Amino acid sequence: MDKVIIAENLSLSYKEFETIISKASFSIDAGSFVFITGASGSGKSTLLKSLYGAIEPRGGQLVVGGVKMNKISTSKLNFLRRHIGIVFQDYKLIKEWTIEKNVMLPLIISGYTKEVSDPQIQKLLSHVKLTHQAGKYPPELSGGEQQRVAMARALAHNPILILADEPTGNLDEYSSEVIWNLLEGANTQLKTTIVVVTHRVPSSISVPYKHFHIEMGNIHEIA
Amino acid sequence: MKSLKNHISLIVALFTVLFAVQIYVAVDRTIDAYETRLKNDYSIIVVANKALTVDEFKAMDSIIDRSEPIATDQVLQRLKGEMAPKNLELLKLTLPKFYRIYLSRFPTPEEIAKLQKRLEKNSSIQRVEGYAQTHDTVYKLMLLFKDVVQIFSIAIAAVTSLLILKEMRLWQFQHAERMSIMALFGAPVWLRSAVLFRLAIVDAIIATILVCIAFFIFEENGWMDMLLRTVGITIDLFDFLHDGIRSLIIALSVSIILTLTIVIGNDEEE
C-alpha cells in the first residue's frame, strides 16, 4: 500500500533547545483514517502543522504526498498544499467572502473558472446541507455550520489528504456528529486519507482507523 | 461599510499627498511666472561714450538678452528754450549714449555685481546703474517665499507619510488573515495579493480624480486666479493633462509601494 506520510526520526521544535517531538518514526497509508491524540501541549497540533509545512522539521525526515518537507521551497509547498485539505478548530473562513466563494477557494487557487467549479460547489454545499446559506457570510452562520463550510472547502479540490486539527473542538454534539460523518464519508467514498488531531477518539466512529498517541515528545501507535 | 471605510482612509491619505504635491507645483509655477515678470521688468542702465550694438553688449556678457537705446530727444527738446541753438548742437554731439539692457533670465545679486564690473571694464562704457538695492530686496523676498513653501511642503510630506504608514499597518492587519488562509491552501503570492493590488489601483485612480475635481473647482471659482492677477501673474494652477498624469503616477506608485510592503511583510511572517 502507498504511504502518504513517512516520518523518520522526525524532530520538531519552535526554539532550538525545546524539542516538542523527538525522533518520531511512523507512516500513514493512503486511504487510511488516522487519529493523533495527546494531552494539551503534547505537540499534536505542532505535528499536524509540520504535515502542511507551517513548521519545518528540526531533524530527521518527513515526506508528505511524495514531497520532502525538509527545506521545502515555497513553490513546492504551494503545490503540495493544493493537494491537501485542511480543517481547523477555528474554521479559518474568509469573513469578507460568501460561503459559496469560501468553498470555492481551493478551486480558485487551482485556476478553475466559476463555470467549471460551480457544479462541484453546488454538490458540496448540498452534501453539507448548506445550499440555502450559499450567499451568506461566515459570521452569519453558527459554529457548526461554519465547520461544515470548512469541510466542504477541504473537499472541494478532491485532495489526497485531509488534515483536521480538533475539528469538533468548538462544536456541540449534533454538529460534531455531522463533521465525523462527513470525514468518514470522504474516507470511505473518495478514499481520501484523513489525519485528525483530537483529544480523544470519538466513540461514534464507524470506519477502521489507526490511532497514534503523543506523550513526552514520543509518538506511539495504539493497537 | 467596513470596506468603504478602508477605501476612504487610503483615498484621503493619497488625496493629501497629491494635493500637497500639486500645491507645491502651483507655487513653484507662480514663482517661475513672477521671476519671468521680474526679468521682463528689470533692466540695467548703461551710459556709453559711443553707440553700441546689441551684439557688442552680448559679447560682454552672455546673460544680456537685448538692449534698447534711451532717446535723448525729449531732454534736448526741454532745453531748447533755455539754451542757444549753437550750444544745444554742441551738447547734442557731446551727450553720451544711454542704453537700457534687458537680461535673458532673472539674475542673482552676485550675477548683477559681476555683470556691472564686466561692463565697467569696457572703455566705451562710462557708467552702469544696476539698481542693485531694489533688485536685492525683491529677490531676497522671493527666496524667502520659496524657502517657506519648501518647509511647508516638507512638513506636509512628513505628516502624509505618517498617515500612509498608519494606513499601511491597518491594511496589513486587515488583510493578513485572508492572505494567510489563502496561503494554507497553496495560493501563490500574486494571487493572495491580487485583491490588495486591485484595491490600491482603484483607490489611486479615485484619489487622482478627486484632486482633479478639487483643482477644477479652484480654477472655476476664480478667486485664486484673481489673487494672482493682482500681482500681474497668470498661470495654470492645474494642467489637466500633465498634472493629471503626474498625479496618477504618484498615486499609483505610492499605493503600489504600500501594497508591496504589505505583501512582502506578510510573506516574511509566514
Side-chain angles (χ1 to χ4, degrees):
Chain A
M1 192 173 268
D2 286 342
K3 306 282 184 195
V4 174
I5 297 166
I6 304 165
E8 278 170 17
N9 294 319
L10 176 69
S11 292
L12 299 171
S13 67
Y14 290 103
K15 289 177 190 167
E16 206 169 339
F17 302 108
E18 280 182 18
T19 308
I20 294 168
I21 300 288
S22 176
K23 294 185 177 177
S25 295
F26 64 94
S27 64
I28 292 173
D29 295 332
S32 59
F33 200 118
V34 176
F35 283 102
I36 298 171
T37 58
S40 294
S42 59
K44 49 190 192 303
S45 289
T46 306
L47 176 64
L48 201 82
K49 277 181 181 174
S50 73
L51 300 181
Y52 61 82
I55 68 160
E56 241 188 79
R58 187 70 74 170
Q61 273 221 339
L62 178 65
V63 179
V64 179
V67 178
K68 271 190 179 177
M69 301 302 282
N70 304 59
K71 292 194 169 68
I72 190 171
S73 68
T74 311
S75 57
K76 262 192 181 172
L77 183 62
N78 284 341
F79 174 80
L80 174 69
R81 284 177 175 180
R82 286 200 281 272
H83 294 88
I84 294 178
I86 317 174
V87 182
F88 298 91
Q89 187 176 1
D90 59 353
Y91 330 124
K92 291 211 189 301
L93 298 175
I94 298 174
K95 292 182 191 79
E96 310 86 58
W97 286 11
T98 60
I99 299 309
E100 192 177 26
K101 200 173 174 187
N102 264 289
V103 176
M104 210 185 280
L105 176 67
L107 298 174
I108 294 171
I109 291 167
S110 298
Y112 291 100
T113 59
K114 196 179 184 311
E115 288 72 33
V116 176
S117 54
D118 215 35
Q120 165 84 340
I121 301 305
Q122 296 316 319
K123 205 172 93 183
L124 279 165
L125 283 172
S126 153
H127 188 58
V128 296
K129 299 184 174 59
L130 284 171
T131 307
H132 61 293
Q133 310 273 42
K136 286 189 175 171
Y137 292 87
E140 297 175 74
L141 268 58
S142 70
E145 286 173 323
Q146 288 192 53
Q147 196 60 301
R148 270 146 63 195
V149 176
M151 270 304 303
R153 180 182 62 183
L155 291 166
H157 51 311
N158 296 321
I160 53 160
L161 170 69
I162 289 181
L163 303 171
D165 189 3
E166 306 267 15
T168 58
N170 285 341
L171 307 182
D172 59 37
E173 213 172 311
Y174 168 76
S175 298
S176 300
E177 204 52 47
V178 174
I179 296 302
W180 292 127
N181 285 339
L182 285 167
L183 285 168
E184 281 185 282
N187 181 244
T188 53
Q189 290 159 32
L190 305 168
K191 306 288 172 216
T192 310
T193 311
I194 313 281
V195 177
V196 181
V197 158
T198 184
H199 278 293
R200 57 181 182 84
V201 177
S203 53
S204 61
I205 208 88
S206 59
V207 292
Y209 61 85
K210 250 184 173 185
H211 181 189
F212 289 104
H213 188 73
I214 304 177
E215 205 169 11
M216 309 286 284
N218 297 310
I219 300 175
H220 55 269
E221 193 178 343
I222 294 175
Chain B
M1 192 63 194
K2 199 175 155 193
S3 141
L4 188 73
K5 258 189 195 170
N6 295 345
H7 273 286
I8 285 173
S9 39
L10 182 65
I11 290 168
V12 168
L14 284 173
F15 177 83
T16 317
V17 173
L18 297 184
F19 197 80
V21 167
Q22 195 50 45
I23 287 285
Y24 180 76
V25 168
V27 167
D28 201 48
R29 218 170 265 168
T30 311
I31 290 171
D32 278 349
Y34 193 63
E35 256 184 9
T36 312
R37 216 204 84 181
L38 278 180
K39 182 202 85 182
N40 292 339
D41 289 353
Y42 181 74
S43 60
I44 292 170
I45 303 295
V46 171
V47 183
N49 51 24
K50 68 167 191 142
L52 289 167
T53 64
V54 185
D55 293 331
E56 280 173 308
F57 275 119
K58 278 186 177 175
M60 289 176 215
D61 200 308
S62 57
I63 199 169
I64 295 171
D65 184 46
R66 62 196 163 92
S67 65
E68 256 177 29
I70 299 170
T72 50
D73 301 351
Q74 229 176 354
V75 183
L76 293 170
Q77 196 69 32
R78 212 185 295 157
L79 295 169
K80 223 173 186 177
E82 294 166 25
M83 288 174 87
K86 196 183 158 191
N87 287 345
L88 202 66
E89 261 328 290
L90 194 70
L91 179 69
K92 210 173 188 180
L93 284 171
T94 54
L95 199 67
K97 310 286 175 201
F98 294 92
Y99 292 96
R100 185 170 273 128
I101 304 286
Y102 291 95
L103 307 179
S104 57
R105 61 186 158 79
F106 192 60
T108 62
E110 291 76 29
E111 278 175 327
I112 293 222
K114 269 186 196 167
L115 173 67
Q116 212 162 335
K117 271 186 191 164
R118 215 166 281 171
L119 288 171
E120 280 166 351
K121 262 186 196 168
N122 193 295
S123 56
S124 317
I125 293 172
Q126 292 176 337
R127 198 164 167 202
V128 178
E129 185 50 74
Y131 302 106
Q133 211 180 346
T134 326
H135 169 264
D136 240 30
T137 317
V138 174
Y139 194 75
K140 276 176 184 162
L141 258 171
M142 214 173 71
L143 284 182
L144 179 73
F145 185 53
K146 246 185 180 173
D147 285 349
V148 168
V149 169
Q150 208 167 14
I151 291 165
F152 180 66
S153 305
I154 290 167
I156 287 182
V159 172
T160 44
S161 300
L162 286 175
L163 256 173
I164 296 217
L165 213 72
K166 193 181 160 226
E167 192 53 36
M168 203 188 296
R169 289 210 187 101
L170 266 173
W171 269 41
Q172 196 156 15
F173 176 72
Q174 282 162 356
H175 296 280
E177 194 188 5
R178 193 193 53 230
M179 286 169 79
S180 65
I181 292 171
M182 289 178 87
L184 285 173
F185 286 85
V189 178
W190 66 264
L191 186 64
R192 273 180 262 164
S193 45
V195 179
L196 289 184
F197 280 107
R198 203 165 53 218
L199 274 173
I201 290 167
V202 168
D203 288 0
I205 293 168
I206 293 172
T208 308
I209 291 169
L210 288 177
V211 166
C212 288
I213 292 170
F215 276 89
F216 176 75
I217 292 167
F218 267 139
E219 297 255 42
E220 280 299 292
N221 190 285
W223 65 266
M224 194 70 188
D225 199 41
M226 216 168 70
L227 212 70
L228 290 170
R229 270 178 208 276
T230 55
V231 284
I233 296 168
T234 328
I235 56 148
D236 266 342
L237 274 179
F238 193 84
D239 177 343
F240 281 88
L241 185 67
H242 293 106
D243 294 346
I245 290 172
R246 190 192 37 240
S247 294
L248 184 64
I249 291 170
I250 293 172
L252 284 173
S253 311
V254 169
S255 54
I256 285 171
I257 289 169
L258 158 84
T259 315
L260 278 173
T261 315
I262 296 166
V263 171
I264 293 165
N266 192 269
D267 217 35
E268 279 169 1
E269 270 172 32
E270 279 163 32

